[in-house]
Amino acid sequence: MDELHIQGGIPLEGEATVQGSTDAALILLRACLLIPEPVELENCPLVAAVSSAAKGLRSAGCRVTRRGHTLLVDGGGSGRPLCPAGGGELRLPYPGVNATCAAVLRAVGAQGDWVISGASRSPEIAALQAFLNDMGGRVSGAGGSTLAVQGGRTLHGGRVEVMGDLSAAALLLCGGAAAGGNICLRGVCWRHLAPLLTVLREAGCGLESTGQEIRLSRNPAIPLRPGMKVNAAPYPGLPGAWLPFVTAALDTAQGRGLQGAGGQSTAFDARSGGALVVAALGAPGERVIRGLSRMDERYESMEETLRCLGAAVFRR
């Protein structure tokens, strides 16, 4: 079993480019099932979840080939409406990303004009809208809770670059907050991380952000501010998937996190694994994190990215 060994309590210094978004890549691969012509997805992360999705597309009759971080998908669909009639309103009881994605693709693949209410406002849905419109669809309203979709349009192939992974960026930023130092992340839009940046700034971190670059700094001799109350909420609130990273950073930097050298922990999923990484970066001594296969589902070579930021980490 692979293990991640982290020597914590060392301030981070360095720059790194954030991987392509696992969530966005999975969403765009689902959309390829509606498109009969070749679609080229650039900046796809080399993670198990994307490989599994590609395998599923092949089972559905698509040709899927990979060249490094680029996936080429060919033969996904007819390009014509899947339903002979349609139009109406789809009401979502909760603004989930997957539910919104399913509703949008259903509407695109049907005839008629559709309104989707209660939609997720997340950046991944905006990325789906941009992708579909580039391929000949007509979707509007991303960033708000109501989307409009004109179904029945013929879709064509094209090329798109997958956005940066917000969860990976959140993990790295929280790791920098826990350990202290100065780090720079590239490849993600700072506006998409605004709810997290607000929390880290209030906790005492220095932050500078321009376009696709974020710089975080913290004097390791000055702990993060105690007593902060952080709540998760659907985007544009702080996503629940990032809350374990924030909690680990605040606890560790305030002396309530992992203690002692030589400890071992097991990641039960990517979320818990990320929280353990954040906690280990801020805690003095060596920590061993097991269960890396669960982290590899969503994060690409996390140890290499951490080393770019000056972390003492290796995989065994």
Side-chain angles (χ1 to χ4, degrees), residues 89-100 102-103 116-120 145 234:
E89 182 175 3
L90 297 173
R91 296 178 178 270
L92 302 180
Y94 182 82
V97 174
N98 287 331
T100 302
I116 301 170
S117 58
S120 168
S145 58

Side-chain angles (χ1 to χ4, degrees), residues 171 243-249 252 258 269-281 289 295:
L171 189 163
L243 189 58
F245 310 155
V246 177
T247 302
T252 300
L258 300 174
D269 53 28
R271 187 180 302 190
S272 66
L276 289 172
V277 168
V278 171
L281 289 171
I289 300 174
M295 293 189 65

Side-chain angles (χ1 to χ4, degrees), residues 32-37 76-82 108 152-156:
C32 287
L33 288 169
L34 298 174
I35 303 174
E37 299 176 359
S78 66
R80 296 185 297 273
L82 302 179
V108 169
R153 296 178 63 87
T154 300
L155 303 179
H156 56 75

Side-chain angles (χ1 to χ4, degrees), residues 103-146:
V104 169
L105 297 182
R106 172 185 171 184
V108 169
Q111 289 282 12
D113 294 331
W114 296 84
V115 173
I116 301 170
S117 58
S120 168
R121 300 169 62 185
S122 74
E124 290 83 3
I125 297 303
L128 175 62
Q129 172 180 290
F131 171 76
L132 290 169
N133 289 346
D134 285 347
M135 305 303 150
R138 185 166 293 175
V139 184
S140 61
S145 58
T146 301

Side-chain angles (χ1 to χ4, degrees), residues 85-254:
E89 182 175 3
L90 297 173
R91 296 178 178 270
L92 302 180
Y94 182 82
V97 174
N98 287 331
T100 302
C101 170
V104 169
L105 297 182
R106 172 185 171 184
V108 169
Q111 289 282 12
D113 294 331
W114 296 84
V115 173
I116 301 170
S117 58
S120 168
R121 300 169 62 185
S122 74
E124 290 83 3
I125 297 303
L128 175 62
Q129 172 180 290
F131 171 76
L132 290 169
N133 289 346
D134 285 347
M135 305 303 150
R138 185 166 293 175
V139 184
S140 61
S145 58
T146 301
L147 306 177
V149 180
Q150 185 182 98
R153 296 178 63 87
T154 300
L155 303 179
H156 56 75
R159 177 184 299 174
V160 67
E161 182 174 349
V162 176
M163 62 182 281
D165 195 294
L166 301 181
S167 289
L171 189 163
L172 296 170
L173 288 169
C174 289
N182 295 272
I183 65 172
C184 176
L185 299 185
R186 296 191 172 96
V188 287
C189 176
W190 70 268
R191 292 183 176 84
H192 296 163
L193 289 151
L196 173 64
L197 300 184
T198 297
V199 171
L200 296 181
R201 185 178 288 111
E202 291 177 354
C205 295
L207 286 157
E208 298 178 8
S209 46
T210 56
Q212 297 280 313
E213 181 177 293
I214 302 171
R215 293 182 178 272
L216 179 144
S217 61
R218 182 179 75 82
N219 183 345
I222 302 175
L224 295 176
R225 296 192 183 102
M228 288 197 61
K229 194 172 184 179
V230 182
N231 296 315
Y235 192 89
L238 182 75
W242 305 353
L243 189 58
F245 310 155
V246 177
T247 302
L250 295 176
D251 285 351
T252 300
Q254 293 166 15

